[in-house]
Amino acid sequence: MIRLLSLTAMLLASTAALAENSRPQPVPIVDTIPAARDIPYPGTITLAIDATDTKQGIFRVKQRIPVDKAGPMVLLFPQWLPGNHRPSGQLEKLAGLKISAGGQPVAWTRDPVDMFAFHVDVPAGADALDIDLQFLSATAGNQGRVVMTPNLISLQWNSMSLYPAGYFTRQIPIEANVTYPAGWTAASALKATVAGSVYRYEKTNYEVLVDSPVVAGRYYKKFDLSPRVVIDAFADAPAQLVASEAQVQAHRNMVDQAVKVFGAQHYDSYHFLFTISDELGGIGLEHHRSSEDGVKLGYFTDWENSTPSRDLLPHEFAHSWNGKFRRGADLWTPDFRMPMRGSLLWVYEGQTQFWGHVLQARAGLVSKQDTLDSYALILAGLDTAPARQWRALVDTTNDPTIAARRPKGWTSWQRAEDYYNEGLLIWMEVDSMLRQQTRGKKSIDDFARAFFGINDGDWGEVTYTLDDVVATLNAISPYDWKGFLTRRTTETGAPAPTAGFAANGYKLIYTETPTSYFKANEKDRKNTDLSYSLGLVIGKDGQITSVIWDSMAFKAGLSVSDSITAVNGLTYSPEKLKEAITAAKTSDAPIILLTKNGDRISETPIDYHGGLRYPRLEKIGTGEGGLDRLLAAK
């Protein structure tokens, strides 16, 4: 009884003490940054960039922003950038920021909530703010994308300029000039006059400036693809710019086929800003009148093995229509501060992924067979990934912000940006349904022309909603398209939507022999892909780079932190592991892997006897199917 009373007293004392703990209230967040208004900015900004320090990778910037009154002002560094689908402005690489007016320093203060905003007080009598800053290129891949090398420059205006808050960016006039290394050539969709090493770009607005990046380099070659479209090609060495007439013609065909698909053209001229480099960071980023396209060495000179890289240009070109001219309404923003919402990225990127593959085949840029084999790889990747059990496709449109495109340990379970490839599957199904409903008279080509082929010559933006997509489909063939598309993008627990391929005449199968495309893809990625047998991918020196959730490798306890050192008692090599997988087909014994994780060595048995499995598409029936027609040149 005494013990019980003591316990009760202790509880009461504890409760009293808990009730007396300090309990603060939050400091209110007050947004002091003016919202963007659709009114003209009073004056023209000037921007001068010195891009000659290619050894240290430093861009030196001087900017002058006119002002019409004294008092508080906010300057913004671009944060939400079109095509990135996330807040990707490289603020951490801005350095040396100094602001002055009339030669006198002006103090700046970073906003305590929005780190991309800088508050200043414009002094009385000032007519402009003068800004000095540097943008520091990554000098190694672990710092981000390298954008300046001794032979190449990738200049994105948003990375090296500020703009005044309170205005739509299309309402802010600006004139820019850049000094490049002597003897270099620079290319951009933005026209320029050249005097020596200085390029003076035509006056434009800040939205168009940011949408008109520059590539410059020591070694340059221009390829004319049409009267309005060119490839501005740059490389680490001149030998990489040697292309055969057949290779160039395939790229001309791509432009011709795209214009035939979409009808109208939404650019006065279009520039593929194309870099072939193992030093400059790779990229694939769409712009309205250009695209930034970066591939590894060998694009032209190792044509046989560069197949996996050749869907890049048709994909980015299709974006001029889908993503730049037509854009999801919730993705369009008036400035680079307002967050972008990507609920329709399965249209923006998914249908662009669809057209990239179709155009490469129609142009002969990639053979029909290699295109079918690349489809097989896409279908197999979604077929073996179990993440659709819990995460709907539409939620992956948030992935650029959630994951910031960083590597994941269990992609097959977490999902990544599947709106690209699963979006492709959905649009293949739409094509098959249109063909079936109209008895072959209509297809997705009709949708493309009706939806994207409006307002010829207009390179502004026309936004859309799901209802707009549905209305265009219904005009071609009446159906419950909204219900179908909503179901496909929100469903969980169902297999990957491969029905469109089957309805168009092809099904996914697995064989013991990889396709030529599969082998080229392995070579390009420098890995050994056993996703469809053991359930893992192995990179350099036996390092495991991917383990499929619930696969045999997963059940054996392997993860991406492991590396394989031996197979059945023999030193690891890709060939020995494949031989062991084949031998296990006729044996009851497990495959024994010796794995290393840090200082730990483990013996890992994998009880797998299914042999090697590689994806490919198999034709259903005879004659020409919907997919055969889809991939045929127009």
Side-chain angles (χ1 to χ4, degrees), residues 113-160:
V113 176
D114 186 343
M115 302 298 163
F116 288 71
F118 301 88
H119 294 266
V120 298
D121 278 315
V122 178
D127 60 2
L129 294 178
D130 292 301
I131 298 169
D132 284 80
L133 60 86
Q134 299 91 47
F135 179 77
L136 311 178
S137 169
T139 53
N142 61 3
Q143 302 166 19
R145 180 173 174 254
V146 175
V147 297
M148 182 182 273
T149 77
N151 292 316
L152 290 166
I153 288 172
S154 173
L155 189 156
Q156 295 177 324
W157 306 100
N158 47 275
S159 291
M160 47 202 73

Coordinates of all heavy atoms in Angstrom, one line a residue, residues 113-160:
V113 N 13.1 33.1 -45.5 CA 12.3 31.9 -45.9 C 12.6 31.5 -47.3 O 12.9 30.3 -47.6 CB 10.8 32.3 -45.7 CG1 10.0 31.1 -46.3 CG2 10.5 32.6 -44.3
D114 N 12.6 32.4 -48.2 CA 12.9 32.1 -49.6 C 14.4 32.5 -49.9 O 14.8 33.6 -50.1 CB 12.0 32.9 -50.6 CG 12.2 32.6 -52.0 OD1 13.3 31.9 -52.4 OD2 11.4 32.9 -52.8
M115 N 15.3 31.5 -49.8 CA 16.7 31.7 -49.9 C 17.1 32.2 -51.3 O 18.3 32.6 -51.5 CB 17.4 30.4 -49.6 CG 17.1 29.8 -48.2 SD 17.6 31.0 -46.9 CE 16.7 30.3 -45.5
F116 N 16.2 32.2 -52.3 CA 16.6 32.6 -53.6 C 16.3 34.1 -53.8 O 16.4 34.6 -54.9 CB 15.8 31.8 -54.7 CG 16.3 30.4 -54.8 CD1 16.1 29.4 -53.8 CD2 17.0 30.0 -55.9 CE1 16.5 28.1 -54.0 CE2 17.4 28.7 -56.1 CZ 17.2 27.8 -55.1
A117 N 15.8 34.8 -52.7 CA 15.4 36.2 -52.8 C 16.4 37.1 -52.0 O 16.8 36.7 -50.9 CB 14.0 36.4 -52.2
F118 N 16.7 38.2 -52.5 CA 17.7 39.1 -51.9 C 17.0 40.5 -51.7 O 16.5 41.1 -52.7 CB 18.9 39.3 -52.7 CG 19.7 38.0 -52.9 CD1 19.3 37.2 -54.0 CD2 20.7 37.6 -52.1 CE1 20.0 36.0 -54.2 CE2 21.3 36.4 -52.2 CZ 21.0 35.6 -53.3
H119 N 16.9 41.0 -50.5 CA 16.3 42.3 -50.2 C 17.3 43.4 -50.2 O 18.4 43.2 -49.7 CB 15.6 42.3 -48.8 CG 14.4 41.3 -48.7 ND1 13.1 41.7 -48.9 CD2 14.4 40.0 -48.5 CE1 12.3 40.7 -48.8 NE2 13.1 39.6 -48.5
V120 N 17.0 44.5 -50.9 CA 17.8 45.7 -50.9 C 17.0 46.9 -50.7 O 15.8 46.9 -50.9 CB 18.6 45.8 -52.2 CG1 19.5 44.6 -52.5 CG2 17.7 46.0 -53.4
D121 N 17.6 48.0 -50.2 CA 17.0 49.3 -50.2 C 17.6 50.2 -51.2 O 18.8 50.5 -51.1 CB 17.1 49.9 -48.8 CG 16.1 49.4 -47.8 OD1 14.9 49.3 -48.2 OD2 16.5 49.0 -46.7
V122 N 16.9 50.5 -52.2 CA 17.4 51.4 -53.3 C 17.6 52.8 -52.7 O 16.6 53.4 -52.2 CB 16.5 51.4 -54.5 CG1 17.0 52.4 -55.5 CG2 16.3 50.0 -55.0
P123 N 18.8 53.3 -52.8 CA 19.0 54.7 -52.2 C 18.4 55.8 -53.0 O 18.1 55.6 -54.2 CB 20.5 54.8 -52.2 CG 21.0 53.9 -53.2 CD 20.1 52.8 -53.3
A124 N 18.0 56.9 -52.3 CA 17.4 58.0 -53.0 C 18.4 58.5 -54.1 O 19.6 58.6 -53.9 CB 17.2 59.1 -52.0
G125 N 17.8 58.9 -55.2 CA 18.5 59.4 -56.4 C 19.2 58.4 -57.3 O 19.7 58.7 -58.3
A126 N 19.1 57.1 -56.9 CA 19.7 56.1 -57.8 C 18.8 55.8 -59.0 O 17.6 55.8 -58.8 CB 19.9 54.8 -56.9
D127 N 19.4 55.6 -60.1 CA 18.6 55.2 -61.3 C 18.9 53.8 -61.7 O 18.2 53.3 -62.7 CB 18.9 56.2 -62.5 CG 20.4 56.2 -62.9 OD1 21.2 55.4 -62.3 OD2 20.7 56.9 -63.8
A128 N 19.8 53.1 -61.0 CA 20.1 51.7 -61.4 C 20.9 51.0 -60.3 O 21.5 51.7 -59.4 CB 20.9 51.6 -62.7
L129 N 20.8 49.7 -60.2 CA 21.6 48.9 -59.3 C 22.6 48.2 -60.2 O 22.3 47.6 -61.2 CB 20.7 47.9 -58.6 CG 19.7 48.4 -57.6 CD1 18.9 47.3 -56.9 CD2 20.4 49.3 -56.5
D130 N 23.9 48.2 -59.8 CA 24.9 47.5 -60.4 C 25.3 46.3 -59.6 O 25.6 46.4 -58.4 CB 26.2 48.4 -60.6 CG 25.9 49.5 -61.6 OD1 25.5 49.3 -62.7 OD2 26.0 50.7 -61.2
I131 N 25.3 45.1 -60.3 CA 25.5 43.8 -59.6 C 26.8 43.2 -60.2 O 27.0 43.1 -61.4 CB 24.3 42.9 -59.8 CG1 23.1 43.6 -59.2 CG2 24.6 41.6 -59.3 CD1 21.8 42.9 -59.6
D132 N 27.6 42.7 -59.3 CA 28.8 41.9 -59.6 C 28.6 40.5 -58.9 O 28.2 40.4 -57.7 CB 30.1 42.5 -59.1 CG 30.5 43.7 -60.0 OD1 30.0 44.8 -59.8 OD2 31.4 43.4 -60.9
L133 N 28.8 39.4 -59.7 CA 28.8 38.1 -59.1 C 29.6 37.1 -60.0 O 30.0 37.5 -61.1 CB 27.3 37.6 -58.9 CG 26.4 37.5 -60.2 CD1 26.6 36.1 -60.9 CD2 25.0 37.7 -59.8
Q134 N 29.8 36.0 -59.4 CA 30.4 34.9 -60.2 C 29.5 33.6 -60.1 O 28.8 33.4 -59.1 CB 31.8 34.5 -59.7 CG 32.8 35.6 -59.7 CD 32.8 36.4 -58.4 OE1 32.8 35.8 -57.3 NE2 32.8 37.7 -58.5
F135 N 29.5 32.9 -61.2 CA 28.9 31.6 -61.2 C 30.0 30.6 -61.4 O 30.8 30.7 -62.3 CB 27.8 31.4 -62.3 CG 27.2 30.0 -62.3 CD1 26.2 29.7 -61.4 CD2 27.6 29.1 -63.2 CE1 25.7 28.4 -61.4 CE2 27.1 27.8 -63.3 CZ 26.1 27.5 -62.3
L136 N 30.1 29.6 -60.4 CA 31.2 28.7 -60.4 C 30.8 27.3 -60.9 O 30.0 26.6 -60.3 CB 31.7 28.6 -58.9 CG 31.9 29.9 -58.2 CD1 32.3 29.6 -56.7 CD2 32.9 30.8 -58.9
S137 N 31.2 27.0 -62.1 CA 30.9 25.7 -62.7 C 31.4 24.6 -61.8 O 32.5 24.7 -61.1 CB 31.5 25.6 -64.1 OG 31.4 24.2 -64.5
A138 N 30.7 23.5 -61.7 CA 31.3 22.3 -61.1 C 32.6 22.0 -61.9 O 32.6 22.1 -63.1 CB 30.3 21.1 -61.2
T139 N 33.6 21.6 -61.1 CA 34.8 21.2 -61.8 C 35.0 19.6 -61.7 O 36.0 19.1 -62.3 CB 36.0 21.8 -61.1 OG1 35.9 21.6 -59.6 CG2 36.0 23.3 -61.3
A140 N 34.1 19.0 -61.1 CA 34.1 17.5 -61.1 C 32.6 17.1 -61.0 O 31.8 17.8 -60.4 CB 34.9 16.9 -59.9
G141 N 32.3 15.8 -61.4 CA 31.0 15.3 -61.5 C 30.3 15.3 -60.1 O 29.1 15.4 -60.0
N142 N 31.1 15.1 -59.0 CA 30.4 15.0 -57.7 C 30.0 16.4 -57.2 O 29.4 16.4 -56.1 CB 31.4 14.3 -56.7 CG 32.7 15.1 -56.5 OD1 32.9 16.1 -57.0 ND2 33.5 14.5 -55.7
Q143 N 30.2 17.5 -57.9 CA 29.7 18.8 -57.5 C 28.5 19.2 -58.3 O 27.9 20.3 -58.1 CB 30.8 19.8 -57.8 CG 32.2 19.6 -57.1 CD 33.3 20.4 -57.7 OE1 33.0 21.4 -58.3 NE2 34.5 20.0 -57.4
G144 N 28.1 18.4 -59.2 CA 27.0 18.7 -60.1 C 27.4 18.7 -61.6 O 28.5 18.1 -61.9
R145 N 26.6 19.2 -62.5 CA 27.0 19.2 -63.9 C 28.1 20.1 -64.2 O 28.0 21.3 -63.9 CB 25.7 19.5 -64.7 CG 26.0 19.4 -66.2 CD 24.7 19.6 -67.1 NE 25.1 19.7 -68.5 CZ 25.1 20.8 -69.2 NH1 24.6 21.9 -68.7 NH2 25.4 20.8 -70.5
V146 N 29.1 19.6 -64.9 CA 30.2 20.5 -65.4 C 29.7 21.2 -66.6 O 29.3 20.7 -67.6 CB 31.4 19.6 -65.7 CG1 32.5 20.5 -66.3 CG2 32.0 18.9 -64.5
V147 N 29.8 22.6 -66.5 CA 29.3 23.4 -67.7 C 30.4 24.2 -68.3 O 30.1 25.0 -69.2 CB 28.1 24.3 -67.2 CG1 27.0 23.5 -66.7 CG2 28.6 25.3 -66.1
M148 N 31.6 24.1 -67.9 CA 32.7 24.8 -68.5 C 34.0 23.9 -68.5 O 34.4 23.4 -67.5 CB 33.0 26.1 -67.8 CG 34.1 26.9 -68.5 SD 34.5 28.5 -67.6 CE 33.3 29.6 -68.4
T149 N 34.6 23.6 -69.7 CA 35.8 22.9 -69.8 C 36.8 23.6 -70.7 O 36.4 24.7 -71.2 CB 35.5 21.5 -70.5 OG1 35.3 21.7 -71.9 CG2 34.3 20.8 -69.9
P150 N 38.0 23.2 -70.8 CA 38.9 23.9 -71.7 C 38.5 24.0 -73.2 O 39.0 24.9 -73.9 CB 40.2 23.1 -71.6 CG 40.1 22.5 -70.2 CD 38.7 22.1 -70.0
N151 N 37.5 23.2 -73.6 CA 37.0 23.2 -75.0 C 35.6 23.5 -75.2 O 35.1 23.8 -76.3 CB 37.3 21.9 -75.6 CG 38.8 21.6 -75.8 OD1 39.6 22.5 -76.2 ND2 39.2 20.4 -75.5
L152 N 34.8 23.5 -74.1 CA 33.3 23.7 -74.2 C 32.7 24.5 -73.1 O 33.2 24.5 -72.0 CB 32.7 22.3 -74.2 CG 32.9 21.4 -75.4 CD1 32.4 20.0 -75.1 CD2 32.1 21.9 -76.6
I153 N 31.6 25.2 -73.4 CA 30.9 26.0 -72.5 C 29.4 25.7 -72.7 O 28.9 25.8 -73.8 CB 31.1 27.5 -72.6 CG1 32.5 27.8 -72.0 CG2 30.1 28.3 -71.8 CD1 32.9 29.3 -72.3
S154 N 28.7 25.5 -71.6 CA 27.2 25.4 -71.6 C 26.7 26.5 -70.7 O 26.8 26.5 -69.5 CB 26.7 24.1 -71.1 OG 25.3 24.1 -70.9
L155 N 26.2 27.6 -71.4 CA 25.8 28.8 -70.6 C 24.3 28.9 -70.5 O 23.6 29.0 -71.5 CB 26.4 30.0 -71.3 CG 26.3 31.4 -70.6 CD1 27.4 32.3 -71.2 CD2 24.9 32.0 -70.8
Q156 N 23.8 28.8 -69.3 CA 22.4 29.0 -69.0 C 22.2 30.3 -68.3 O 22.7 30.5 -67.1 CB 21.9 27.8 -68.1 CG 22.0 26.5 -68.9 CD 21.5 25.3 -68.0 OE1 21.8 25.3 -66.8 NE2 20.8 24.3 -68.6
W157 N 21.5 31.2 -68.9 CA 21.4 32.6 -68.3 C 20.8 32.6 -66.9 O 21.2 33.5 -66.1 CB 20.5 33.4 -69.3 CG 20.9 33.4 -70.7 CD1 20.4 32.7 -71.7 CD2 22.0 34.2 -71.3 NE1 21.0 33.0 -72.9 CE2 22.0 33.9 -72.7 CE3 22.9 35.2 -70.8 CZ2 22.9 34.5 -73.6 CZ3 23.7 35.8 -71.7 CH2 23.7 35.4 -73.0
N158 N 19.9 31.7 -66.6 CA 19.3 31.7 -65.3 C 20.3 31.4 -64.2 O 20.1 31.8 -63.0 CB 18.2 30.6 -65.2 CG 18.7 29.3 -65.8 OD1 18.6 29.1 -67.0 ND2 19.2 28.4 -64.9
S159 N 21.4 30.8 -64.5 CA 22.4 30.5 -63.5 C 23.3 31.7 -63.2 O 24.1 31.6 -62.2 CB 23.3 29.3 -63.9 OG 22.6 28.1 -64.0
M160 N 23.3 32.7 -64.0 CA 24.2 33.8 -63.8 C 23.6 35.2 -63.9 O 24.1 36.1 -64.5 CB 25.4 33.7 -64.7 CG 25.1 33.4 -66.1 SD 26.5 32.6 -67.0 CE 26.5 30.9 -66.3

